[in-house]
């Protein structure tokens, strides 16, 4: 049984690297449904329940410190690849589809909560709010919203499972409807975007040892400074010092993305490692108690996606959006930067840069979107 910090950290790092390494080596089909980050959470939770370590004051202090520092550092690094100039250059039609997708998801979360709130506990809105952060951006946004609203660690498993399973279902649907594009475009009176001309996104150099160390140092420094500045900001019912810390770190990353610092390779590799490490540390404080609520939230997730699809189709009819842009925008929200280019390439290879840039825009807005949804749902719950 582990009772000191260094063996505990060794287990966290091994657990964080195990499933990504297995996916890279073998590429099993199970990873299409349950990605490594979900399997990491479940594995570390199982180790915690089995009593692999004891929550001594030393380990507990290490857990708090790691999460407090790593989440803002992670968000800072995620913003480095987000070029706002390239995103704005996509034009009003593409950005309009993105905005309508965001509005449809917001409405879908509110409608779903109103339908199912009577079966939820008093703080049952929190897993949905965290999920909304992920379905605008990604898992990092989910964790940022979780920390900002004070959601229990045991509820994170519910949000992660709902995210993974519903996303997998939605990807299949979006791939399947491609053949319906001509009929859909006639109904919406839209021109196909298959031949849209978009500048290719710049390729990044691979990470090097020195660049990894530099990014780690910069990110940890930004996290520390953001924490100090966040503690000086005014707070309210839905805005805490942690909320300010997360928003300041995100803004710092956006600023850095438009400086020569952004050309330094390695930010994406470091952020990916930090993300799965944060999930492992959060899982080490959890149990399987939250998974009992998973069936209800899976139904909620399906309802959110179905409602979102209906609203987005209505927006497409109103503003004459074509199926390809709607599908890419939807997956940019719900699936993120990893899956969206694949779907875009299936529709039309010229749309791949659109998928990447919209997914990056989701990362930028994901935390704020999740906090907005949290504010509305908490008001409806009271």
């Amino acid at each position: 049984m582990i009772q000191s910090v260094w063996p505990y950290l060794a287990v966290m790092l091994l657990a964080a690297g195990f499933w990504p390494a297995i996916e890279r080596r073998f590429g099993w089909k199970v990873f299409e449904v349950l990605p490594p980050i979900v399997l990491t959470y479940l594995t570390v939770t199982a180790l915690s329940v089995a009593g692999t370590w004891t929550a001594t004051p030393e380990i507990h202090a290490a857990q708090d410190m790691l999460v407090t520092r790593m989440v803002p550092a992670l968000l800072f690094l995620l913003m480095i690849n987000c070029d706002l100039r390239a995103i704005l250059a996509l034009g009003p039609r593409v950005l309009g589809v993105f905005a309508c997708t965001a509005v449809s998801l917001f409405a879908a979360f509110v409608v779903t909560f109103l339908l199912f709130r009577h079966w939820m506990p008093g703080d049952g809105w929190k897993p949905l709010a965290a999920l909304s952060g992920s379905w605008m951006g990604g898992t990092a946004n989910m964790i940022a919203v979780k920390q900002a609203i004070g959601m229990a660690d045991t509820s994170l498993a519910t949000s992660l499972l709902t995210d993974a399973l519903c996303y997998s279902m939605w990807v299949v649907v979006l791939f399947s409807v491609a053949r319906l594009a001509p009929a859909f475009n006639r109904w919406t009176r839209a021109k196909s975007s298959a031949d849209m001309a978009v500048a290719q996104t710049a390729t990044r150099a691979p990470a090097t040892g020195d660049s990894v160390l530099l990014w780690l140092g910069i990110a940890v420094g930004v996290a520390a400074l953001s924490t100090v500045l966040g503690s000086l900001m005014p707070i309210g019912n839905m805005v805490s010092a942690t909320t300010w810390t997360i928003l300041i770190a995100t803004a710092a990353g956006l600023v850095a993305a438009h400086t020569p610092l952004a050309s330094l390779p390695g930010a994406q590799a470091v952020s990916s490692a930090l993300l799965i490490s944060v999930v492992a540390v959060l899982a080490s404080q959890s149990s399987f108690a939250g998974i009992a609520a998973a069936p209800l939230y899976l139904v909620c997730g399906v309802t959110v996606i179905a409602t979102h699809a209906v609203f987005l189709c209505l927006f497409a009819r109103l503003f004459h959006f074509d199926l390809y842009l709607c599908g890419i925008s939807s997956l940019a929200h719900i699936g993120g930067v990893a899956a969206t280019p694949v779907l875009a390439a299936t529709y039309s290879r010229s749309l791949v840069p659109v998928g990447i840039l919209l997914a990056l825009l989701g990362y930028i807005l994901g935390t704020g979107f999740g906090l907005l949804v949290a504010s509305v749902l908490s008001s409806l719950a009271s």
Side-chain angles (χ1 to χ4, degrees):
M1 183 181 296
I2 296 172
Q3 296 183 332
S4 58
V5 170
W6 286 109
Y8 165 79
L9 288 177
V11 173
M12 291 302 100
L13 291 173
L14 287 169
F18 177 76
W19 288 114
I22 293 295
E23 181 193 33
R24 189 184 302 273
R25 174 67 179 83
F26 298 104
W28 293 335
K29 291 291 185 180
V30 67
F31 294 115
E32 296 178 6
V33 179
L34 293 175
I37 199 164
V38 175
L39 293 173
T40 298
Y41 186 94
L42 296 175
T43 300
V44 176
T45 301
L47 292 174
S48 176
V49 172
T52 308
W53 51 83
T54 302
T56 61
E58 185 183 8
I59 289 180
H60 185 69
Q63 291 169 334
D64 287 344
M65 183 272 293
L66 286 169
V67 174
T68 301
R69 291 292 184 266
M70 288 170 71
V71 170
L74 165 64
L75 292 171
F76 168 78
L77 290 170
L78 281 174
M79 295 300 108
I80 296 300
N81 292 330
C82 297
D83 189 340
L84 286 174
R85 292 164 297 192
I87 291 171
L88 293 175
L90 290 173
R93 183 185 178 203
V94 175
L95 295 178
V97 174
F98 184 92
C100 289
T101 305
V103 171
S104 68
L105 273 172
F106 177 83
F109 272 100
V110 173
V111 169
T112 299
F113 178 72
L114 292 174
L115 288 173
F116 293 97
R117 62 176 174 172
H118 299 296
W119 290 279
M120 295 179 181
D123 61 350
W125 57 271
K126 291 184 177 180
L128 278 182
L131 182 64
S132 72
S134 178
W135 282 2
M136 167 62 84
T139 307
N141 301 102
M142 175 193 290
I143 293 172
V145 174
K146 171 208 171 296
Q147 292 298 111
I149 64 178
M151 186 176 87
D153 292 335
T154 53
S155 298
L156 184 59
T158 300
S159 296
L160 284 170
L161 283 172
T162 303
D163 183 15
L165 296 177
C166 292
Y167 150 74
S168 299
M169 173 203 71
W170 190 229
V171 167
V172 173
V173 172
L174 290 176
F175 274 105
S176 301
V177 299
R179 67 181 187 277
L180 302 178
F184 183 90
N185 295 345
R186 285 195 299 271
W187 179 67
T188 61
R189 301 188 299 279
K191 179 183 177 182
S192 175
S193 58
D195 299 324
M196 179 181 293
V198 182
Q200 294 291 322
T201 54
T203 57
R204 302 278 177 172
T208 58
D210 56 312
S211 66
V212 167
L213 291 174
L214 286 170
W215 276 123
L216 276 173
I218 294 169
V220 172
V222 169
L225 180 61
S226 299
T227 302
V228 172
L229 294 177
S231 66
L232 302 176
M233 296 294 183
I235 60 175
N237 292 334
M238 286 301 298
V239 181
S240 63
T242 301
T243 307
W244 280 115
T245 299
I246 288 168
L247 294 177
I248 291 169
T250 302
L254 284 174
V255 172
H258 296 83
T259 68
L261 187 63
S263 62
L264 182 67
Q268 184 175 354
V270 176
S271 65
S272 298
L274 278 181
L275 173 58
I276 201 161
S277 299
V278 169
V279 168
V281 172
L282 290 172
S284 71
Q285 307 172 65
S286 186
S287 68
F288 287 117
I291 296 182
L296 172 61
Y297 284 95
L298 284 173
V299 174
C300 288
V302 171
T303 305
V304 168
I305 289 179
T307 307
H308 149 69
V310 171
F311 281 132
L312 187 56
C313 286
L314 293 176
F315 279 128
R317 171 76 175 182
L318 180 62
F319 296 112
H320 311 302
F321 298 145
D322 70 294
L323 180 66
Y324 288 171
L325 277 185
C326 289
I328 291 170
S329 180
S330 179
L331 196 61
H333 283 71
I334 295 173
V337 76
T340 308
V342 179
L343 178 70
T346 303
Y347 289 167
S348 171
R349 295 195 66 84
S350 65
L351 293 174
V352 170
V354 175
I356 294 172
L357 292 171
L358 289 185
L360 291 175
L361 180 58
Y363 277 135
I364 295 172
L365 301 176
T367 303
F369 180 84
L371 293 175
L372 175 62
V373 172
S375 178
V376 172
L377 297 190
S378 64
S379 299
L380 294 173
S382 59

